[in-house]
Amino acid sequence: MSYLHFEQGEIKEKGGLNTAMEIEGQPALWQEIYDLILSQKDAIRDFLSPILSNADARIILTGAGSSAFIGEAIAGIVQANTKRMTHAIATTDIITHPHLHFIKEIPTLLFSFARSGNSPESLAVVEQANTYCNTVFHFIITCNKAGALVQSRFPNTYHLILPESANDKGLAMTSSFTGMLLAAILVIKSDIIASLKPALDVLITEGNELLEKYLPQIKAVAEKPYRRVIFLGSGEMLGIARECHLKLQELTDGKVICKHDSFLGFRHGPRAVINEDSLIVYLFSKDEYVFQYERDLCLSIEADTRKIPTLSYNRQLSDLKKSVLEITFSTPADAPNDLAFIGTVLIGQLLGFYRSLSLGLRPDTPSVSGSISRVVQGVTIYTGLVPS
């Protein structure tokens, strides 16, 4: 590993070695996760079949923070593949209003995503689901075999524990995010997992290409004095845009304010956030139909007299005269790219990592005040007064 173009001793001294290794280790981790789920595909099928064979079942994807954004990114993919109504609802929303999110008479499959498995909300929502649903199955995807979600035994539960390298030591979720995201898709498609190997190879190849080819350029962009960064994405890329938004803002301890939106949604008011101190990051879709809408928004912003700088991912548009970087890949146009969107989040991770260092922060522990921590602190779970 290159440790993001730093000598290992130097980056360790700067307080970023864990985060650097976790970002760069993701392509190798993705292969490990594929192999893990391939080895469990029969057990996964046997667990999911009873609930998914019910035409009335629904699926809820839940987690807190980055773990919640996993659900946002893949809700449509899960619904399209299971043909069951699927909703991404954060534990932080369910915990206060379980009666608005669970429907007692509807059989429910609850996917819980958790890096540590020790967030108070994670355990409480599993318990609430058992109370508010007559029939509930839990599929827990976590990076920590010692977490409370694993140690607390619930009926109708499948625990998928990812390799130890997914259990980030740094504050910001990096390998844990992409690891759990990939795992969830492979679980839902476990009956055809062998056919996904070419798509996995594309994901890994593009991840390695980004790390090997673009680090100096990304570092140069990250060190520019942008005060606002906006990430735009469509479909599954919208959830990725939100995670990129959090990564850059989190790793810079809030010194860089970030936003996210869809390309079409950005027109409807949120566009007011851009100014001369902004950078817009376009997370382009590889789908030509979707790209038509994305391109139109880009051309509209290009016409802005304030000359807003932009960064493009997945596409190179000659019309974007104010672009500071275009990231493209050598992947053939006809290559299977069902999983390639997962690697897009690396751009948010890398911008956050390099900007954190340029601000004199320590990427492994960027919160100077200690107001944010690896496992959320200070949450009290109240019982006895929950509406029915």
Side-chain angles (χ1 to χ4, degrees):
M1 288 186 180
S2 64
Y3 299 112
L4 300 186
H5 285 219
F6 283 83
E7 292 297 327
Q8 182 172 350
E10 180 184 358
I11 200 169
K12 184 175 182 180
E13 182 180 335
K14 292 176 179 288
L17 183 60
N18 286 328
T19 303
M21 293 176 68
E22 286 150 8
I23 293 174
E24 288 200 330
Q26 287 171 101
L29 173 65
W30 299 334
Q31 181 64 60
E32 286 187 70
I33 289 172
Y34 177 87
D35 293 339
L36 174 70
I37 295 173
L38 181 64
S39 71
Q40 296 185 29
K41 67 182 181 67
D42 292 339
I44 291 171
R45 179 201 59 216
D46 292 346
F47 177 80
L48 292 179
S49 290
I51 183 70
L52 292 183
S53 62
N54 190 326
D56 296 326
R58 71 186 290 228
I59 300 171
I60 296 177
L61 310 172
T62 195
S66 291
S67 295
F69 307 158
I70 294 170
E72 290 186 22
I74 63 169
I77 295 172
V78 172
Q79 181 165 283
N81 280 274
T82 62
K83 309 299 189 234
R84 300 293 177 262
M85 292 298 295
T86 302
H87 304 91
I89 313 172
T91 57
T92 48
D93 293 330
I94 295 175
I95 200 72
T96 55
H97 294 77
H99 59 299
L100 300 183
H101 298 298
F102 294 122
I103 303 174
K104 201 169 190 66
E105 296 77 19
I106 296 182
T108 299
L109 171 60
L110 183 70
F111 271 87
S112 294
F113 302 105
R115 173 172 65 174
S116 71
N118 289 320
S119 296
E121 300 99 328
S122 297
L123 193 61
V125 164
V126 169
E127 293 172 338
Q128 286 181 334
N130 289 334
T131 299
Y132 280 84
C133 299
N134 289 335
T135 302
V136 60
F137 285 67
H138 298 282
F139 202 104
I140 294 171
I141 301 180
T142 182
C143 307
N144 181 19
K145 63 183 178 183
L149 272 182
V150 174
Q151 298 305 311
S152 299
R153 294 295 170 178
F154 299 100
N156 296 336
T157 299
Y158 194 103
H159 294 96
L160 180 65
I161 303 169
L162 300 191
E164 183 59 31
S165 54
N167 192 12
D168 306 314
K169 295 180 175 63
L171 178 141
M173 286 179 61
T174 53
S175 59
S176 56
F177 178 85
T178 62
M180 289 191 286
L181 178 59
L182 173 62
I185 296 174
L186 296 178
V187 164
I188 288 299
K189 298 185 176 186
S190 58
D191 57 333
I192 57 167
I193 188 171
S195 69
L196 296 176
K197 185 58 167 64
L200 176 80
D201 291 340
V202 170
L203 168 63
I204 292 172
T205 297
E206 291 191 354
N208 282 323
E209 189 172 343
L210 177 68
L211 292 167
E212 292 166 3
K213 181 178 177 181
Y214 286 103
L215 291 187
Q217 298 97 309
I218 295 171
K219 181 175 183 289
V221 171
E223 291 174 347
K224 294 182 182 297
Y226 303 120
R227 300 179 67 182
R228 302 180 186 180
V229 179
I230 300 96
F231 295 89
L232 301 181
S234 307
E236 63 271 15
M237 287 288 212
L238 178 56
I240 297 296
R242 187 170 187 184
E243 172 62 8
C244 286
H245 153 182
L246 176 61
K247 282 291 92 65
L248 178 51
Q249 189 164 281
E250 190 177 38
L251 283 166
T252 60
D253 199 23
K255 291 180 172 59
V256 178
I257 298 301
C258 300
K259 300 289 183 181
H260 77 282
D261 212 320
S262 67
F263 281 82
L264 283 174
F266 195 59
R267 293 178 182 271
H268 294 265
R271 183 170 171 173
V273 75
I274 60 175
N275 61 16
E276 294 83 350
D277 296 323
S278 302
L279 170 69
I280 301 178
V281 181
Y282 297 133
L283 306 179
F284 287 125
S285 172
K286 291 189 176 184
D287 185 286
E288 294 301 326
Y289 171 76
V290 176
F291 177 62
Q292 296 175 103
Y293 293 99
E294 298 175 341
R295 180 187 57 215
D296 288 350
L297 184 275
C298 295
L299 296 179
S300 174
I301 291 176
E302 182 69 15
D304 194 305
T305 58
R306 293 173 294 177
K307 303 186 184 330
I308 309 300
T310 63
L311 184 158
S312 300
Y313 188 97
N314 268 340
R315 303 268 184 172
Q316 186 172 16
L317 289 180
S318 58
D319 297 307
L320 302 184
K321 307 301 183 185
K322 305 174 189 72
S323 177
V324 297
L325 177 61
E326 300 86 29
I327 295 173
T328 58
F329 300 100
S330 57
T331 311
D334 60 350
N337 59 27
D338 308 55
L339 302 174
F341 79 94
I342 295 171
T344 307
V345 77
L346 268 69
I347 189 63
Q349 297 173 357
L350 290 166
L351 286 172
F353 177 82
Y354 282 125
R355 188 57 178 275
S356 182
L357 288 172
S358 73
L359 290 169
L361 299 171
R362 302 173 68 82
D364 291 348
T365 53
S367 180
V368 176
S369 68
S371 59
I372 57 173
S373 55
R374 186 178 178 280
V375 179
V376 69
Q377 304 295 318
V379 177
T380 300
I381 303 300
Y382 296 98
T383 59
L385 297 174
V386 180
S388 60

